[in-house]
Each structure stands twice: as structure tokens, then as C-alpha cells.
Amino acid sequence: MFCCMPTTLSSGVTLTQLAGGNSALALAMTVISNLLGIMFVPLSLAKYIGTGAGVSLPTKELFRSLVNTLLVPLILGKVARETSKGIAEFVDGNRQGFSVLSAVLLSLVPWIQVSRSRSLLLSVKPKAFAIIVTIGVLLHLALLAFNATTLQVLSCLKQKEESVLTRKEYARAVILVASQKTLPVLVAVVEQLGGALGESGLLVIPCVAAHINQIIIDSILVNWWRQRDQRSTSAK
């Protein structure tokens, strides 16, 4: 289920900015992938999860939930920004505060879901949890390797002129954003399953672990990029 999700809503853009990447490209990828996710997530879950488990998933309910979670807030925010100059100026002047508020609210979503199944969470064996963490790490490393390799292959196809993908600001944005999966959207999807694939709280646990893993791994990667940039600047 986690693999069927679109890109993260905020962490990918934030890490791209810290890495010196193209934040506009990162934001565009985030918006486009989440809008496309409204259509593709229900279909992917029905095909790859529902069919394999022999369970009929509520595709229409999932689609309606994603529209309410992703599309409606986007439209309302865009309309409010375009119709009211005061709102636009207030948001632009308080970007840092809104970023912190967004991060806090997004973190509350999985926390509430897991808290509902606290008793079941305590019953999870340490060995099983360790396996979950390991799979999450391997998944993200595989996505990073795949995206980095794909960029390298695509850049090599343009031999006569320099590919835009060879520029580090664009490459870093693509590698970071395309390798991350969103957690809040998954929680919204799990809510609509009604326990068809198991207890909601337990379904979210491995995804929470995978989400934390990808943030930690990408933070290490961003720090390595920044240190390399500093050494390169000092050498010049």
C-alpha cells in the first residue's frame, strides 16, 4: 500500500531546499503526483492489493476520500489566494510559521491512527518490528538507486547537448521527491478500507516506520551533498 502512494506533501520540498535543489521543480512534482494519485491510487490498490488478497476494495469511496483530502483543499486554497490579496500577503509573510504548522498537523494524522490501536501495537513482537524497519530501509534505498540510475541513463541519451537532468539542482529535486512516499494520504486511504485488510492501526505501523526511515536516510544524503558542495567551494 505504501508503494502505491504519491510523493510526500512537504518533506520532499523541504529537503530539496536544504540540499540546494530546485524547489520549484520539487513543488511541481509534489502537486502533480498527488493530483494523479487521486485517480491511480484507488486503481492500484484494487489491482495489486485487493485482487491478491481476494478482497473487494471500496474504490469509489477511496476516490471520494482522496478528492476531499487532496483536491478540495488545493482548490479552496488557490481560490482564496487569487481572490484575496490580504490572504496571499499574510501567507507569504508567514511562510515559516505555516510550514511548522503544516508539519505538526501532518504528524498528528498517523499518531491519532496508531493511538486508536494502542493495545494491538503493544502486541507487536520486536522481531516483526525489526523486519518492518529493515524492509522500509531497503525499499527507500531501492527507490533512491532506481531514480538516480534512471536520471543517469536519461542524461546519457542526450549526447549532443547538455541535459537539464545533469544539473545538480534538478537531479537532487527529482531524486529526493520521487523516492519518497506520503504517509497522511495512506492514513486517509486506510480509513476508508473499514478493516478489509486488517486493523487500521496495525496497517499504519509499518508505513510510519518506513516514513521515518526515508526522512532519516534523505537527511543523511542531504547533509552529505551539502558537505561535498562546501568542499568544492573551498577548493575553488
Side-chain angles (χ1 to χ4, degrees):
M1 291 175 63
F2 193 66
C3 292
C4 294
M5 294 299 112
T7 60
T8 51
L9 299 174
S10 61
S11 59
V13 178
T14 302
L15 288 170
T16 298
Q17 292 174 337
L18 293 175
N22 191 302
S23 56
L25 175 60
L27 181 60
M29 291 176 61
T30 299
V31 173
I32 293 172
S33 67
N34 279 273
L35 290 178
L36 291 175
I38 295 175
M39 297 181 293
F40 288 109
V41 167
L43 298 177
S44 299
L45 291 177
K47 181 177 180 179
Y48 298 113
I49 307 297
T51 304
V55 178
S56 177
L57 299 181
T59 306
K60 292 183 179 179
E61 287 74 9
L62 290 176
F63 177 77
R64 190 179 301 112
S65 175
L66 291 174
V67 168
N68 294 333
T69 303
L70 298 175
L71 186 58
V72 173
L74 176 63
I75 294 175
L76 291 178
K78 187 63 177 177
V79 170
R81 185 179 181 86
E82 295 298 329
T83 57
S84 175
K85 185 177 180 181
I87 292 178
E89 292 178 349
F90 178 76
V91 172
D92 291 338
N94 297 274
R95 287 185 177 274
Q96 186 65 31
F98 277 107
S99 297
V100 174
L101 178 61
S102 175
V104 171
L105 294 177
L106 288 174
S107 64
L108 288 176
V109 174
W111 178 74
I112 293 173
Q113 188 67 46
V114 173
S115 297
R116 293 178 179 176
S117 304
R118 180 177 177 274
S119 58
L120 292 174
L121 174 62
L122 295 176
S123 66
V124 176
K125 297 180 180 179
K127 181 180 179 180
F129 188 77
I131 294 175
I132 287 172
V133 173
T134 303
I135 293 176
V137 170
L138 294 177
L139 169 63
H140 190 59
L141 291 177
L143 290 174
L144 286 172
F146 174 79
N147 290 318
T149 304
T150 302
L151 280 178
Q152 190 66 29
V153 172
L154 292 176
S155 62
C156 291
L157 294 179
K158 285 193 173 184
Q159 298 179 354
K160 296 183 178 179
E161 57 183 17
E162 183 183 4
S163 172
V164 69
L165 298 176
T166 59
R167 300 179 184 177
K168 66 178 182 180
E169 60 269 23
Y170 293 102
R172 291 178 181 181
V174 173
I175 291 173
L176 288 172
V177 176
S179 301
Q180 294 187 357
K181 298 294 182 180
T182 182
L183 181 60
V185 175
L186 181 133
V187 174
V189 169
V190 169
E191 278 287 329
Q192 297 300 318
L193 295 179
L197 297 176
E199 182 64 32
S200 299
L202 288 179
L203 289 177
V204 172
I205 291 174
C207 303
V208 172
H211 180 75
I212 295 174
N213 288 333
Q214 68 184 8
I215 299 300
I216 294 174
I217 294 172
D218 287 349
S219 297
I220 296 173
L221 178 61
V222 167
N223 186 55
W224 179 72
W225 277 336
R226 288 167 63 92
Q227 290 179 352
R228 191 176 67 172
D229 290 344
Q230 290 175 358
R231 288 194 298 267
S232 177
T233 303
S234 301
K236 293 179 181 179

